PDB file of all heavy atoms in Angstrom:
ATOM      1  N   VAL I  31      78.948 123.601 110.361  1.00  0.00           N
ATOM      2  CA  VAL I  31      77.809 122.846 109.791  1.00  0.00           C
ATOM      3  C   VAL I  31      77.720 121.433 110.206  1.00  0.00           C
ATOM      4  O   VAL I  31      78.831 120.721 110.049  1.00  0.00           O
ATOM      5  CB  VAL I  31      77.781 123.016 108.227  1.00  0.00           C
ATOM      6  CG1 VAL I  31      76.594 122.192 107.604  1.00  0.00           C
ATOM      7  CG2 VAL I  31      77.804 124.472 107.726  1.00  0.00           C
ATOM      8  N   LYS I  32      76.667 120.950 110.726  1.00  0.00           N
ATOM      9  CA  LYS I  32      76.637 119.531 111.019  1.00  0.00           C
ATOM     10  C   LYS I  32      76.055 118.710 109.966  1.00  0.00           C
ATOM     11  O   LYS I  32      75.093 119.014 109.219  1.00  0.00           O
ATOM     12  CB  LYS I  32      75.574 119.394 112.267  1.00  0.00           C
ATOM     13  CG  LYS I  32      75.520 118.075 112.913  1.00  0.00           C
ATOM     14  CD  LYS I  32      74.781 118.013 114.165  1.00  0.00           C
ATOM     15  CE  LYS I  32      74.810 116.630 114.872  1.00  0.00           C
ATOM     16  NZ  LYS I  32      74.094 116.681 116.115  1.00  0.00           N
ATOM     17  N   TRP I  33      76.838 117.593 109.678  1.00  0.00           N
ATOM     18  CA  TRP I  33      76.494 116.658 108.663  1.00  0.00           C
ATOM     19  C   TRP I  33      76.178 115.295 109.266  1.00  0.00           C
ATOM     20  O   TRP I  33      76.826 114.808 110.146  1.00  0.00           O
ATOM     21  CB  TRP I  33      77.824 116.392 107.777  1.00  0.00           C
ATOM     22  CG  TRP I  33      78.206 117.651 107.072  1.00  0.00           C
ATOM     23  CD1 TRP I  33      79.041 118.747 107.669  1.00  0.00           C
ATOM     24  CD2 TRP I  33      77.793 118.209 105.805  1.00  0.00           C
ATOM     25  NE1 TRP I  33      79.175 119.793 106.729  1.00  0.00           N
ATOM     26  CE2 TRP I  33      78.427 119.456 105.625  1.00  0.00           C
ATOM     27  CE3 TRP I  33      76.897 117.733 104.887  1.00  0.00           C
ATOM     28  CZ2 TRP I  33      78.211 120.162 104.544  1.00  0.00           C
ATOM     29  CZ3 TRP I  33      76.667 118.462 103.725  1.00  0.00           C
ATOM     30  CH2 TRP I  33      77.458 119.691 103.480  1.00  0.00           C
ATOM     31  N   PRO I  34      75.072 114.711 108.806  1.00  0.00           N
ATOM     32  CA  PRO I  34      74.574 113.385 109.394  1.00  0.00           C
ATOM     33  C   PRO I  34      75.561 112.283 109.315  1.00  0.00           C
ATOM     34  O   PRO I  34      75.748 111.488 110.190  1.00  0.00           O
ATOM     35  CB  PRO I  34      73.317 113.035 108.530  1.00  0.00           C
ATOM     36  CG  PRO I  34      72.912 114.330 107.838  1.00  0.00           C
ATOM     37  CD  PRO I  34      74.279 115.095 107.673  1.00  0.00           C
ATOM     38  N   THR I  35      76.486 112.284 108.239  1.00  0.00           N
ATOM     39  CA  THR I  35      77.417 111.213 108.095  1.00  0.00           C
ATOM     40  C   THR I  35      78.596 111.894 107.225  1.00  0.00           C
ATOM     41  O   THR I  35      78.535 112.870 106.622  1.00  0.00           O
ATOM     42  CB  THR I  35      76.950 110.018 107.247  1.00  0.00           C
ATOM     43  OG1 THR I  35      76.608 110.379 105.895  1.00  0.00           O
ATOM     44  CG2 THR I  35      75.730 109.351 107.864  1.00  0.00           C
ATOM     45  N   THR I  36      79.746 111.115 107.252  1.00  0.00           N
ATOM     46  CA  THR I  36      80.800 111.515 106.428  1.00  0.00           C
ATOM     47  C   THR I  36      80.458 111.414 104.977  1.00  0.00           C
ATOM     48  O   THR I  36      80.859 112.262 104.138  1.00  0.00           O
ATOM     49  CB  THR I  36      82.104 110.669 106.754  1.00  0.00           C
ATOM     50  OG1 THR I  36      81.834 109.346 106.648  1.00  0.00           O
ATOM     51  CG2 THR I  36      82.773 111.039 108.058  1.00  0.00           C
ATOM     52  N   GLU I  37      79.639 110.456 104.668  1.00  0.00           N
ATOM     53  CA  GLU I  37      79.053 110.306 103.327  1.00  0.00           C
ATOM     54  C   GLU I  37      78.376 111.572 102.797  1.00  0.00           C
ATOM     55  O   GLU I  37      78.608 112.048 101.709  1.00  0.00           O
ATOM     56  CB  GLU I  37      78.323 109.074 103.138  1.00  0.00           C
ATOM     57  CG  GLU I  37      77.810 108.736 101.717  1.00  0.00           C
ATOM     58  CD  GLU I  37      79.052 108.239 100.911  1.00  0.00           C
ATOM     59  OE1 GLU I  37      80.079 107.891 101.416  1.00  0.00           O
ATOM     60  OE2 GLU I  37      78.865 108.234  99.585  1.00  0.00           O
ATOM     61  N   HIS I  38      77.521 112.050 103.714  1.00  0.00           N
ATOM     62  CA  HIS I  38      76.765 113.312 103.259  1.00  0.00           C
ATOM     63  C   HIS I  38      77.750 114.378 103.003  1.00  0.00           C
ATOM     64  O   HIS I  38      77.643 115.057 101.920  1.00  0.00           O
ATOM     65  CB  HIS I  38      75.784 113.762 104.430  1.00  0.00           C
ATOM     66  CG  HIS I  38      74.609 112.915 104.599  1.00  0.00           C
ATOM     67  ND1 HIS I  38      74.577 111.671 105.167  1.00  0.00           N
ATOM     68  CD2 HIS I  38      73.303 113.237 104.285  1.00  0.00           C
ATOM     69  CE1 HIS I  38      73.285 111.235 105.198  1.00  0.00           C
ATOM     70  NE2 HIS I  38      72.510 112.194 104.632  1.00  0.00           N
ATOM     71  N   TYR I  39      78.699 114.712 103.840  1.00  0.00           N
ATOM     72  CA  TYR I  39      79.651 115.784 103.601  1.00  0.00           C
ATOM     73  C   TYR I  39      80.391 115.453 102.367  1.00  0.00           C
ATOM     74  O   TYR I  39      80.591 116.356 101.510  1.00  0.00           O
ATOM     75  CB  TYR I  39      80.653 115.816 104.774  1.00  0.00           C
ATOM     76  CG  TYR I  39      81.785 116.733 104.625  1.00  0.00           C
ATOM     77  CD1 TYR I  39      81.495 118.151 104.692  1.00  0.00           C
ATOM     78  CD2 TYR I  39      83.079 116.384 104.184  1.00  0.00           C
ATOM     79  CE1 TYR I  39      82.545 119.077 104.492  1.00  0.00           C
ATOM     80  CE2 TYR I  39      83.995 117.324 103.934  1.00  0.00           C
ATOM     81  CZ  TYR I  39      83.759 118.588 103.938  1.00  0.00           C
ATOM     82  OH  TYR I  39      84.762 119.597 103.812  1.00  0.00           O
ATOM     83  N   PHE I  40      80.948 114.270 102.172  1.00  0.00           N
ATOM     84  CA  PHE I  40      81.834 113.990 101.027  1.00  0.00           C
ATOM     85  C   PHE I  40      80.993 114.224  99.737  1.00  0.00           C
ATOM     86  O   PHE I  40      81.528 114.918  98.786  1.00  0.00           O
ATOM     87  CB  PHE I  40      82.175 112.483 100.998  1.00  0.00           C
ATOM     88  CG  PHE I  40      83.103 112.127  99.861  1.00  0.00           C
ATOM     89  CD1 PHE I  40      84.314 112.461  99.698  1.00  0.00           C
ATOM     90  CD2 PHE I  40      82.524 111.352  98.884  1.00  0.00           C
ATOM     91  CE1 PHE I  40      85.088 112.188  98.596  1.00  0.00           C
ATOM     92  CE2 PHE I  40      83.236 110.927  97.698  1.00  0.00           C
ATOM     93  CZ  PHE I  40      84.607 111.400  97.606  1.00  0.00           C
ATOM     94  N   GLN I  41      79.863 113.688  99.605  1.00  0.00           N
ATOM     95  CA  GLN I  41      78.972 113.788  98.373  1.00  0.00           C
ATOM     96  C   GLN I  41      78.642 115.191  98.191  1.00  0.00           C
ATOM     97  O   GLN I  41      78.706 115.685  97.039  1.00  0.00           O
ATOM     98  CB  GLN I  41      77.775 112.865  98.515  1.00  0.00           C
ATOM     99  CG  GLN I  41      78.119 111.366  98.458  1.00  0.00           C
ATOM    100  CD  GLN I  41      78.881 110.882  97.209  1.00  0.00           C
ATOM    101  OE1 GLN I  41      78.787 111.489  96.151  1.00  0.00           O
ATOM    102  NE2 GLN I  41      79.421 109.767  97.319  1.00  0.00           N
ATOM    103  N   ALA I  42      78.249 115.996  99.190  1.00  0.00           N
ATOM    104  CA  ALA I  42      77.914 117.363  98.986  1.00  0.00           C
ATOM    105  C   ALA I  42      79.030 118.242  98.525  1.00  0.00           C
ATOM    106  O   ALA I  42      78.806 119.194  97.624  1.00  0.00           O
ATOM    107  CB  ALA I  42      77.395 117.900 100.276  1.00  0.00           C
ATOM    108  N   GLN I  43      80.303 117.890  98.797  1.00  0.00           N
ATOM    109  CA  GLN I  43      81.366 118.716  98.380  1.00  0.00           C
ATOM    110  C   GLN I  43      81.672 118.649  96.841  1.00  0.00           C
ATOM    111  O   GLN I  43      82.325 119.412  96.254  1.00  0.00           O
ATOM    112  CB  GLN I  43      82.626 118.285  99.215  1.00  0.00           C
ATOM    113  CG  GLN I  43      82.579 118.614 100.591  1.00  0.00           C
ATOM    114  CD  GLN I  43      81.837 119.896 100.962  1.00  0.00           C
ATOM    115  OE1 GLN I  43      82.401 121.020 100.646  1.00  0.00           O
ATOM    116  NE2 GLN I  43      80.838 119.786 101.643  1.00  0.00           N
ATOM    117  N   LYS I  44      80.983 117.598  96.177  1.00  0.00           N
ATOM    118  CA  LYS I  44      81.019 117.545  94.807  1.00  0.00           C
ATOM    119  C   LYS I  44      80.421 118.721  94.128  1.00  0.00           C
ATOM    120  O   LYS I  44      80.745 119.091  92.936  1.00  0.00           O
ATOM    121  CB  LYS I  44      80.398 116.319  94.354  1.00  0.00           C
ATOM    122  CG  LYS I  44      81.138 115.022  94.661  1.00  0.00           C
ATOM    123  CD  LYS I  44      80.411 113.733  94.174  1.00  0.00           C
ATOM    124  CE  LYS I  44      81.140 112.561  94.474  1.00  0.00           C
ATOM    125  NZ  LYS I  44      80.531 111.320  93.935  1.00  0.00           N
TER     126      LYS I  44
END
Side-chain angles (χ1 to χ4, degrees):
V31 178
K32 188 172 184 177
W33 298 88
T35 66
T36 51
E37 187 70 16
H38 283 78
Y39 175 78
F40 177 78
Q41 295 296 342
Q43 298 317 298
K44 292 179 176 181

